[in-house]
Amino acid sequence: MRSDPEICDHKALNKALISGKTYSHDQIKDLLGKAKAVYCELGSSATDYYLRQCIQKFQRGAIEDSPIAEMFEDDEKAYLQQKLTRVHFPDAEASLMNSCPCVSPKVEILIDFLRQEDSQDFSGLIFVQTRAEVAVLSHLLSEHIPSFDISTFIGASSFAGRKSALSELADVKNQKTTLDDLRHGRKNLIVTTNALEEGIDVSRCKLVICFDRPPNLKSFIQRRGRARKSDSKYIIMFGEEDESDLVATWTALEAQMKEMYMDEMRQLEEIEKEEDTLEEAAPGSKPILNQSTGARVTIDDAVQHLYHFCATLPAAAYVDRSPIFSFQDHSLDPKERAISATVILPNSVDTSVRQACGISWWRTEKMAKRDAALECYRALNHAGLIDEHLLPLGHVDEAVDEACRAVEKRPNLVEVSSQINPWRRVAEHWAAPTKIPTYTVQVMDLDCVCSEMLLLLPSKLPKIPSFDLHWDATTIFRGSVTNRYHDFSSLAMTTAARANAHLLSSVFPGRLNSCEDCTALFVPCGATDLEHWMERSQGTVGVAELGDKIVADSIGLVRDLSRSGVPHAFRDIIHVSTEEVQDILYNGDRDKAMAYNNATEMNPEEAGGVNKNRKITPPYNDLDVKMLDHVTKEEGANDVYNKSNKRLKFNDKFHDVGDDNGTGMITLLNVTRLPKKIDFLHRSTGQDTCTVSVPKPRTLLAKDCAIDRLPYRSSQFAMFIPSILHKIEVAMVVDRLCEEVLWPLQTQNHGLFTTAISASSAREDTDYQRLEFFGDSMLKYMTSLTLIAGHLNWHEGILSHKKDHIVSNTSLASAARKTGLDKFILTKPFTGRKWRPLYNSVLLQTQQEEKREMSSKTLADVVEALLGAAYLDGGSQQAIACLKIFLPDTQWLSPSEACIILSSVYSNPTSNPNPSPPHLTTISHLISHPFTSPSLLTEALTHPSHQGPHTSSSYQRLEYLGDALLDSIITRTAYTHSPPLPTPKLHLIRTALANGHFLGYLCLHHSIALPRTEPLTSDPKNIATTTTSRPFHLWQAMRHASPTVARAQRDCVARYEILHPSIAAQLDHGSTYPWSLLARLEPPKAMSDIVESLLGAIYIDTSGSLDACTGFLEKVGLMAYLRRVMAEEEGEGVALLHPKEEVGQLADRERVRYEVGREGEGGDGVDGEEGRRGGDGEGVDAGRERGKGKRLTCRVFVGEREVAYVGDGMSVAEVKVRAAEVACGVLRREGKGKGRGGVEGKERGGGKEEEEGEEDEDDEVQTEMLVDEEGEKSDSDSYVTADE
């Protein structure tokens, strides 16, 4: 204050100088006073130990930023450092081990007495006056009597000001398990203050020692009551000068206590007799009754029901979910006891019903406890947290729930309606048409229209997007259907039907049954007179009739009459001499042509043993006798293949080609065969080599050919008709879907909904896989938001249970069938093999409704895909309307509506009186978001272990919301990436980035620098300070009240310091995701929960801003890594597939088995061992090797062969991941599978994985030696170790 006049308060300064009362000075005086007390009671060496430990503790805290150092300002720390450096200690600290002058005579007597009382079943308490004596005496006894297991216990008292930090040596946080250790024999002697006199359950002790005289009768009686074992002793230590008076006093008090105890026992017996009659007469203790079900909860079973309710609350590591009861004594007369009880539930329960009090006063604590439990359960029932059976809401039997989940994971086949046929409605409209709408159908090559037809239909068609028509491997046409905006007269329908039949018969003569009954009619677009067009386009002409001007597109199909009119596409006409024709037709080899002709005239079995079913192909390319399948088999070409004698007949052109009109010139036609397919919507596959490559040109004799009058482009269009009609059919199915099921939606982009109902088996242009991935995330997001806003007092356990039920495949599949969605799902692929023209008479026939089988997962996936399509088509309002169609039982809220409800709760100080967290500005800066509702930040940082009646609710509800938000943000970003990522890659990205270990690492890593002042020198006469910085990490902001949580954090931070460089390098530059490193880090689940809860808090605080949530994820580093894994660089993508999944892929059909053991056990330390599940994996200790000094090992077997072995495992999950990585390397080097496995992970089956005796996490590992069938170790060359 002297050095800074601006902040100097002269009055306060003078007062401080006169009185000497400052916080730092008071701390030194307090330390001196307690040191004097220790000296008087325990001796000089004890005082040296006490002062040395207090000073060292302060100095360590100043460096390490412990809670002790945070109680002092920087200037105060510098001042105390200066003063404490003047304290000098004797060098012989080892004098503690000697007797006589180092300890007081009182301590010597105590040590000798305890040595005499030492036994196997010993248990005792030593009461001292001060907390300082507790710490020092326990240390003295541990040094002098090492056979005792000594612990300490002090009270957790505090006062309104700052706590005394300098003189405190004992730590309350380290005594949580002290009493349990005493009960179970892990500790047998506790040094304590009067904190254990009453109110705490302490097991019966064999010895109780009062190191000082009890201050009053109450303390004497309470301490005496702790020695309840048979043959127990109660020892009081005092000086010899007080012996005569005190012994008589204590003896009288002992007798008085026994008399009072017997009186109390008699009173209790009387009370127990009266309780039954008093219970019925107690006012207000009437039972809870549900009239509809008859369920009933009385005061007798209320406690059991309340414990059951607490057991169904969300489980969390280091948290006791039991209710806490406290009792209040209102007695005015000792003989007439009046006791009431209060119960406090865990902080995952809403604050409005977390605390309840009994409504009556009782003579026993047991009845008061029942009364409080009944009233608490009554409040839970009124709050809607109890169902009609008076059981916890949303709770089901764990065994039944697990079985249901297992069944649901296996998709089952269900019977559904067959796919709807939209042409039936078109056939119905043909019954009485007046004017027929017309549509223009074009086939284009690049920007040029190749062919154009009119489509006549009596129904209005929806908008049909253009589509590709794959003519061959290199030629792709573009098809389109557009409205012509004028009608076609019904009087010309007969001519139009004949024109349509003529068009189809040019390429499908064997598939046309009727000319006038077709449902879809195609007629020439530019023909004003159809009759005239029919006359001009019917029949064939010879080559001579073509004239001189020949245009390829105007010439019809060329039919080879020597092969029953097989159609070809015209290319060119050639005139050659008779001498040149041999080279053109037979490649100059006349003998070869003759030999081929002779071979075709004999029975196939006689021609060199040729198979009779094999098509005979000439040994040259210009002539080919192979026939089109649809000509030889479906058009009845009996003259080509004679079934009676199994002989092939050909003309004699191979013997004599002749000439044209004796001119000596031969006319040849250069042609190509038409594609051997009817499905032009899909690219040709490699199964038929004839359709993969471009058809080769052929040469035919002109005199053996006829040419259609119908232009080639018209015939080509006719070949496209089956594919065009299929596209129209799909569009009509989607239109019917929007009309009959999705009618509440204002659909704009029908292409999205076409994708949503197209299964991969349908082989449409797209399938629903990507949309289903997006819709799944949207469903989770919408459901979580609706539930958390619609049920403000539901805890996370109920919310998760309800959400899982809503989004389950069973629920969605049932919704699909109820709404009739099943009949619109496209599953059957279009191939064209069995295509026939559509006929009205056939469509209008009454047919029995057909059924088909479909996977329940497919039904559920289509619902999710439609939800994704609705969101992309019209935003969140469209998505909510879609949800109301399929899941009408849920009262859906839009994101804006939900945010209004949630924001009002946290902005209302009356409904949410949560105190603002300390360092609010620091935490806001850490997460780059200034909270307008500080109570949101408080709740987001509160661990479930932070108990109390007025404590903020835990972060579990916000974490539940944040989990859905994280999933949604990752999914949206990955889905909208350009170019689009394949579905398997999307799944891998979401799995990797929403991983709990990854989020925990981000929580450990994210920090900001805070300024701090430190002394530069230790010279007390010349103290200089400097300003430095210290990191403040995100995990340090969590509010908890558990020493176990603090210990887990410290252990994890120690692992983080070791593993951080490797993990950071892998995330920044590595080609694989660091699965094994993160598993070895194994951050507590609370760290990942904090990230998600803050995400939920920011979302509510910003009224639903996903941009703000994304900004937070950007700040912690998640978005940067997301961008990296989405980047598909050439050969440099990040492999995200989990090593265990990759092993399954590489193993193919072989079984994969993991065997976990411990190093050094089972013989040579490498034998396999079995493990057991140890819990849900929460916390640092779950599955960890428990500090037994032996790390875990893991062997990986593929089939019966051991392929990998690793050791030095910290947990079961971590050692198996590392073993899987080694196994992947071995299998890749052996050339098995696809290698790295990235996107292929979801596309392939993979091997069957089996784990011997354990799953993902172990609390213990049971040892069992495992050897192969021959009793010998496997070949060492068949596997490698991690070091290799």
Side-chain angles (χ1 to χ4, degrees):
M1 295 173 67
R2 283 173 171 172
S3 62
D4 192 350
E6 293 183 1
I7 64 170
C8 181
D9 185 345
H10 294 284
K11 183 177 181 181
L13 176 60
N14 291 331
K15 182 178 180 181
L17 292 174
I18 295 172
S19 65
K21 291 185 178 181
T22 64
Y23 181 68
S24 300
H25 189 63
D26 290 344
Q27 290 294 309
I28 295 176
K29 289 175 62 178
D30 183 65
L31 177 63
L32 178 61
K34 290 182 178 179
K36 290 180 179 179
V38 171
Y39 177 80
C40 295
E41 291 293 330
L42 305 180
S44 61
S45 61
T47 308
D48 292 343
Y49 170 79
Y50 172 69
L51 289 173
R52 187 190 304 272
Q53 292 299 316
C54 288
I55 293 174
Q56 290 179 353
K57 183 178 180 182
F58 173 79
Q59 292 173 340
R60 286 195 304 269
I63 298 174
E64 300 173 359
D65 297 322
S66 70
I68 294 178
E70 293 179 359
M71 297 181 181
F72 298 94
E73 302 293 339
D74 290 340
D75 294 338
E76 292 173 338
K77 284 190 289 184
Y79 174 78
L80 289 174
Q81 286 275 37
Q82 176 187 5
K83 295 296 183 181
L84 294 178
T85 52
R86 300 179 181 179
V87 180
H88 299 284
F89 297 96
D91 297 333
E93 189 179 2
S95 61
L96 281 171
M97 294 300 298
N98 302 324
S99 57
C100 302
C102 297
V103 296
S104 67
K106 195 173 183 180
V107 174
E108 290 184 5
I109 295 173
L110 176 64
I111 293 173
D112 293 338
F113 180 76
L114 289 175
R115 286 171 176 167
Q116 296 174 6
E117 294 293 324
D118 190 7
S119 62
Q120 187 174 2
D121 61 342
F122 176 85
S123 61
L125 298 174
I126 299 179
F127 287 96
V128 297
Q129 286 186 345
T130 65
R131 298 154 71 98
E133 291 179 48
V134 169
V136 178
L137 182 59
S138 64
H139 175 73
L140 289 174
L141 296 179
S142 299
E143 294 289 338
H144 288 80
I145 318 176
S147 59
F148 280 84
D149 294 322
I150 303 175
S151 185
T152 62
F153 193 93
I154 59 176
S157 61
S158 60
F159 56 90
R162 288 187 287 185
K163 295 183 179 180
S164 177
L166 187 58
S167 61
E168 281 293 339
L169 201 54
D171 192 349
V172 178
K173 295 182 179 180
N174 295 333
Q175 65 186 35
K176 183 177 181 180
T177 61
T178 297
L179 299 182
D180 286 335
D181 292 341
L182 181 65
R183 294 188 189 100
H184 296 92
R186 293 187 290 269
K187 302 291 183 182
N188 58 7
L189 181 61
I190 296 180
V191 182
T192 181
T193 60
N194 58 2
L196 286 185
E197 286 183 351
E198 63 174 336
I200 300 177
D201 183 20
V202 179
S203 61
R204 293 176 295 176
C205 297
K206 190 174 182 180
L207 177 66
V208 175
I209 299 177
C210 297
F211 194 71
D212 301 285
R213 289 181 297 176
N216 50 49
L217 176 62
K218 179 181 178 182
S219 295
F220 173 82
I221 295 174
Q222 289 173 337
R223 295 179 182 183
R224 178 65 183 88
R226 296 305 188 188
R228 300 196 300 271
K229 272 190 177 181
S230 59
D231 300 328
S232 61
K233 296 180 180 180
Y234 181 47
I235 306 298
I236 302 175
M237 302 183 70
F238 52 87
E240 294 180 354
E241 65 276 6
D242 299 329
E243 180 176 359
S244 58
D245 296 336
L246 289 177
V247 170
T249 302
W250 300 133
T251 303
L253 289 175
E254 177 82 5
Q256 183 181 356
M257 185 187 71
K258 288 182 178 179
E259 182 180 357
M260 294 174 62
Y261 174 75
M262 297 305 296
D263 291 341
E264 184 176 351
M265 291 300 297
R266 286 191 294 270
Q267 291 178 8
L268 288 176
E269 291 178 359
E270 294 176 0
I271 290 173
E272 289 176 356
K273 293 179 182 179
E274 297 176 1
E275 275 180 352
D276 294 337
T277 56
L278 292 175
E279 174 183 323
E280 295 296 333
S285 62
K286 60 181 180 180
I288 306 170
L289 180 65
N290 187 286
Q291 298 292 342
S292 61
T293 61
R296 178 187 180 95
V297 175
T298 66
I299 195 170
D300 291 326
D301 52 20
V303 174
Q304 293 89 330
H305 277 79
L306 189 60
Y307 271 89
H308 180 217
F309 172 84
C310 292
T312 64
L313 296 175
Y318 325 117
V319 176
D320 184 4
R321 292 179 288 174
S322 302
I324 299 175
F325 290 89
S326 60
F327 302 94
Q328 297 81 40
D329 192 345
H330 309 278
S331 305
L332 299 178
D333 184 354
K335 295 184 180 180
E336 296 292 333
R337 301 189 66 191
I339 300 174
S340 65
T342 301
V343 59
I344 301 176
L345 303 183
N347 70 351
S348 56
V349 180
D350 188 70
T351 53
S352 62
V353 290
R354 189 182 303 165
Q355 180 176 344
C357 300
I359 60 175
S360 302
W361 292 356
W362 303 85
R363 301 183 65 180
T364 63
E365 291 184 354
K366 180 175 71 173
M367 291 305 300
K369 180 178 181 180
R370 291 180 179 180
D371 183 26
L374 181 64
E375 295 309 311
C376 184
Y377 210 74
R378 196 188 310 276
L380 293 173
N381 185 37
H382 290 161
L385 300 177
I386 307 298
D387 64 15
E388 65 273 12
H389 303 287
L390 298 184
L391 294 174
L393 187 64
H395 175 68
V396 296
D397 184 79
E398 293 183 2
V400 175
D401 194 33
E402 181 67 26
C404 292
R405 285 197 299 267
V407 170
E408 188 174 310
K409 289 178 182 177
R410 298 191 294 270
N412 58 313
L413 293 176
V414 294
E415 190 178 70
V416 299
S417 301
S418 61
Q419 183 178 315
I420 190 173
N421 188 349
W423 295 109
R424 187 170 300 171
R425 178 181 289 185
V426 177
E428 294 172 353
H429 291 169
W430 275 116
T434 55
K435 291 185 178 181
I436 310 300
T438 60
Y439 302 88
T440 301
V441 183
Q442 292 181 336
V443 176
M444 294 173 287
D445 184 5
L446 298 179
D447 295 332
C448 177
V449 177
C450 299
S451 56
E452 187 177 41
M453 294 282 174
L454 290 181
L455 170 61
L456 309 182
L457 285 177
S459 303
K460 183 179 180 181
L461 288 181
K463 183 178 179 180
I464 301 172
S466 58
F467 47 90
D468 290 337
L469 296 167
H470 301 272
W471 180 253
D472 53 38
T474 60
T475 307
I476 301 177
F477 295 97
R478 192 72 177 164
S480 65
V481 180
T482 56
N483 196 332
R484 193 174 173 82
Y485 300 107
H486 75 270
D487 298 327
F488 196 87
S489 173
S490 60
L491 300 177
M493 283 298 101
T494 303
T495 307
R498 289 172 42 233
N500 177 73
H502 175 56
L503 195 65
L504 291 174
S505 63
S506 66
V507 289
F508 304 118
R511 303 192 182 204
L512 194 63
N513 297 333
S514 173
C515 296
E516 300 180 358
D517 195 28
C518 288
T519 306
L521 302 180
F522 290 89
V523 298
C525 189
T528 56
D529 187 349
L530 286 181
E531 290 288 352
H532 180 64
W533 178 84
M534 291 277 295
E535 293 177 2
R536 289 190 298 105
S537 61
Q538 286 182 338
T540 61
V541 297
V543 177
E545 301 177 50
L546 295 178
D548 295 334
K549 296 182 180 181
I550 298 177
V551 181
D553 289 349
S554 64
I555 295 178
L557 296 177
V558 177
R559 300 186 181 272
D560 187 356
L561 301 179
S562 65
R563 296 176 179 81
S564 301
V566 176
H568 296 76
F570 175 81
R571 289 173 59 89
D572 197 5
I573 186 169
I574 306 172
H575 302 282
V576 298
S577 64
T578 55
E579 290 79 10
E580 293 174 321
V581 76
Q582 304 298 329
D583 293 332
I584 296 175
L585 293 180
Y586 311 118
N587 289 337
D589 193 344
R590 179 75 176 184
D591 294 336
K592 186 182 292 187
M594 295 299 295
Y596 174 75
N597 182 64
N598 294 334
T600 58
E601 288 294 331
M602 64 178 65
N603 197 312
E605 288 85 349
E606 300 173 2
V610 181
N611 189 318
K612 65 180 181 179
N613 295 323
R614 179 183 175 188
K615 296 178 181 179
I616 302 175
T617 306
Y620 43 87
N621 298 325
D622 294 308
L623 288 176
D624 192 346
V625 299
K626 288 193 294 184
M627 304 297 177
L628 283 173
D629 290 342
H630 65 266
V631 175
T632 59
K633 298 178 181 178
E634 299 180 23
E635 296 181 8
N638 294 327
D639 57 333
V640 177
Y641 188 80
N642 191 324
K643 297 182 180 180
S644 62
N645 55 16
K646 306 295 183 182
R647 294 174 61 86
L648 295 172
K649 296 183 178 180
F650 296 90
N651 293 336
D652 295 331
K653 68 177 182 177
F654 291 100
H655 299 280
D656 183 15
V657 296
D659 61 359
D660 293 340
N661 303 321
T663 62
M665 300 296 291
I666 305 298
T667 302
L668 304 177
L669 298 179
N670 194 309
V671 297
T672 55
R673 290 281 295 273
L674 297 181
K676 292 177 59 178
K677 63 177 184 178
I678 300 177
D679 173 19
F680 293 96
L681 296 176
H682 304 103
R683 291 184 180 274
S684 301
T685 62
Q687 298 175 352
D688 187 353
T689 58
C690 296
T691 60
V692 174
S693 61
V694 178
K696 296 181 179 180
R698 304 183 180 191
T699 305
L700 302 178
L701 291 170
K703 69 175 187 176
D704 294 334
C705 298
I707 300 176
D708 287 355
R709 292 181 180 274
L710 183 68
Y712 165 74
R713 289 301 186 184
S714 298
S715 298
Q716 185 186 50
F717 183 92
M719 294 185 69
F720 289 143
I721 285 178
S723 301
I724 294 171
L725 290 179
H726 176 74
K727 282 295 182 181
I728 295 174
E729 177 181 340
V730 170
M732 290 194 296
V733 169
V734 175
D735 190 58
R736 290 279 296 275
L737 169 69
C738 297
E739 176 187 336
E740 298 179 15
V741 179
L742 305 179
W743 59 268
L745 306 184
Q746 298 177 355
T747 55
Q748 302 293 330
N749 187 353
H750 279 204
L752 285 170
F753 297 94
T754 303
T755 300
I757 63 173
S758 299
S760 56
S761 60
R763 296 184 64 209
E764 295 297 328
D765 296 337
T766 56
D767 59 45
Y768 63 64
Q769 298 294 335
R770 277 174 48 83
L771 268 180
E772 181 272 330
F773 171 80
F774 183 77
D776 173 75
S777 176
M778 291 304 306
L779 177 60
K780 180 180 177 181
Y781 165 63
M782 294 288 189
T783 304
S784 299
L785 198 55
T786 293
L787 291 178
I788 196 173
H791 306 279
L792 298 175
N793 62 353
W794 280 11
H795 58 74
E796 186 265 342
I798 302 177
L799 293 172
S800 296
H801 179 82
K802 292 296 184 183
K803 181 200 69 177
D804 292 343
H805 173 72
I806 292 173
V807 306
S808 67
N809 284 346
T810 301
S811 175
L812 297 179
S814 175
R817 299 177 68 186
K818 288 180 180 179
T819 56
L821 174 64
D822 52 336
K823 64 183 178 182
F824 295 99
I825 300 176
L826 307 177
T827 57
K828 188 176 181 180
F830 171 74
T831 62
R833 293 191 185 97
K834 297 182 178 180
W835 182 84
R836 294 292 185 277
L838 299 168
Y839 300 106
N840 296 329
S841 57
V842 177
L843 293 171
L844 294 176
Q845 290 178 357
T846 303
Q847 298 178 354
Q848 185 177 1
E849 184 180 1
E850 297 180 358
K851 296 290 184 179
R852 55 176 171 168
E853 285 188 337
M854 186 179 296
S855 169
S856 59
K857 187 177 185 307
T858 300
L859 291 167
D861 287 350
V862 171
V863 174
E864 292 176 334
L866 286 172
L867 174 61
Y871 183 88
L872 295 174
D873 187 55
S876 58
Q877 294 296 333
Q878 189 94 306
I880 290 294
C882 183
L883 287 171
K884 291 179 179 179
I885 294 172
F886 293 104
L887 301 169
D889 294 337
T890 302
Q891 301 298 318
W892 295 100
L893 298 173
S894 67
S896 58
E897 294 171 336
C899 287
I900 291 174
I901 296 173
L902 294 171
S903 298
S904 64
V905 172
Y906 288 99
S907 61
N908 184 359
T910 303
S911 62
N912 201 351
N914 294 337
S916 299
H919 313 300
L920 175 63
T921 304
T922 301
I923 298 174
S924 298
H925 180 54
L926 176 66
I927 62 179
S928 297
H929 177 74
F931 275 87
T932 58
S933 300
S935 60
L936 262 173
L937 182 58
T938 303
E939 183 172 326
L941 298 174
T942 302
H943 188 267
S945 65
H946 203 272
Q947 300 281 15
H950 305 295
T951 303
S952 165
S953 296
S954 71
Y955 57 59
Q956 289 172 317
R957 275 174 55 91
L958 291 176
E959 180 267 331
Y960 160 84
L961 176 60
D963 176 70
L965 290 169
L966 176 67
D967 187 281
S968 177
I969 292 172
I970 294 174
T971 299
R972 290 167 190 252
T973 306
Y975 183 86
T976 56
H977 182 265
S978 182
L981 300 174
T983 307
K985 179 76 172 180
L986 293 174
H987 283 282
L988 291 176
I989 289 175
R990 185 167 65 184
T991 300
L993 272 79
N995 177 271
H997 287 171
F998 178 66
L999 296 178
Y1001 169 78
L1002 296 180
C1003 183
L1004 285 163
H1005 179 65
H1006 182 55
S1007 65
I1008 58 173
L1010 297 180
R1012 61 179 292 174
T1013 302
E1014 292 184 349
L1016 285 177
T1017 63
S1018 58
D1019 184 3
K1021 297 181 180 180
N1022 185 20
I1023 297 294
T1025 61
T1026 183
T1027 301
T1028 61
S1029 63
R1030 63 180 179 90
F1032 180 73
H1033 292 83
L1034 182 57
W1035 64 268
Q1036 293 176 293
M1038 184 175 69
R1039 305 167 67 231
H1040 67 87
S1042 170
T1044 314
V1045 172
R1047 184 167 59 251
Q1049 289 177 333
R1050 290 195 300 269
D1051 293 343
C1052 185
V1053 170
R1055 295 195 299 275
Y1056 168 81
E1057 296 296 336
I1058 299 172
L1059 297 173
H1060 164 62
S1062 300
I1063 296 176
Q1066 195 79 345
L1067 292 175
D1068 293 340
H1069 311 291
S1071 60
T1072 58
Y1073 185 82
W1075 288 107
S1076 61
L1077 291 172
L1078 291 175
R1080 196 170 183 85
L1081 176 63
E1082 195 180 0
K1085 184 178 181 296
M1087 292 188 176
S1088 62
D1089 289 346
I1090 284 294
V1091 176
E1092 294 177 334
S1093 64
L1094 284 172
L1095 201 61
I1098 292 173
Y1099 181 83
I1100 296 174
D1101 193 58
T1102 57
S1103 300
S1105 173
L1106 289 176
D1107 290 339
C1109 296
T1110 305
F1112 167 67
L1113 295 179
E1114 188 76 58
K1115 183 76 173 177
V1116 299
L1118 185 141
M1119 299 305 294
Y1121 189 66
L1122 175 58
R1123 287 190 293 271
R1124 180 168 184 262
V1125 299
M1126 289 192 303
E1128 288 291 342
E1129 302 177 9
E1130 290 295 331
E1132 298 183 6
V1134 179
L1136 300 175
L1137 187 62
H1138 195 282
K1140 293 178 68 176
E1141 293 188 32
E1142 187 176 354
V1143 170
Q1145 291 182 13
L1146 295 170
D1148 200 14
R1149 297 182 181 274
E1150 294 187 88
R1151 186 182 64 177
V1152 180
R1153 188 171 79 256
Y1154 295 82
E1155 294 182 1
V1156 180
R1158 289 194 182 279
E1159 293 179 348
E1161 296 185 1
D1164 59 2
V1166 294
D1167 292 289
E1169 300 175 0
E1170 296 182 357
R1172 297 181 306 180
R1173 173 177 287 276
D1176 58 3
E1178 292 185 357
V1180 173
D1181 292 333
R1184 199 161 285 283
E1185 44 95 15
R1186 301 292 186 187
K1188 296 181 180 179
K1190 296 178 181 179
R1191 298 295 179 91
L1192 300 177
T1193 65
C1194 182
R1195 297 173 181 272
V1196 181
F1197 292 84
V1198 175
E1200 297 302 322
R1201 182 170 63 96
E1202 182 179 345
V1203 296
Y1205 164 80
V1206 297
D1208 191 35
M1210 299 290 293
S1211 67
V1212 173
E1214 177 258 340
V1215 75
K1216 287 199 294 188
V1217 173
R1218 288 199 295 117
E1221 286 183 343
V1222 175
C1224 287
V1226 174
L1227 297 177
R1228 282 195 297 266
R1229 287 193 294 271
E1230 293 177 353
K1232 301 192 68 170
K1234 287 189 176 181
R1236 269 285 170 198
V1239 175
E1240 295 89 348
K1242 297 290 182 181
E1243 295 175 339
R1244 301 190 60 208
K1248 178 182 179 182
E1249 181 179 306
E1250 178 179 311
E1251 300 177 4
E1252 290 289 334
E1254 40 69 32
E1255 296 181 23
D1256 286 339
E1257 296 291 343
D1258 281 21
D1259 265 341
E1260 328 179 7
V1261 178
Q1262 293 182 328
T1263 304
E1264 180 181 346
M1265 184 179 298
L1266 300 177
V1267 296
D1268 57 19
E1269 295 180 358
E1270 298 178 359
E1272 298 178 355
K1273 185 180 175 182
S1274 302
D1275 184 6
S1276 60
D1277 292 335
S1278 63
Y1279 66 92
V1280 297
T1281 65
D1283 294 335
E1284 293 174 312

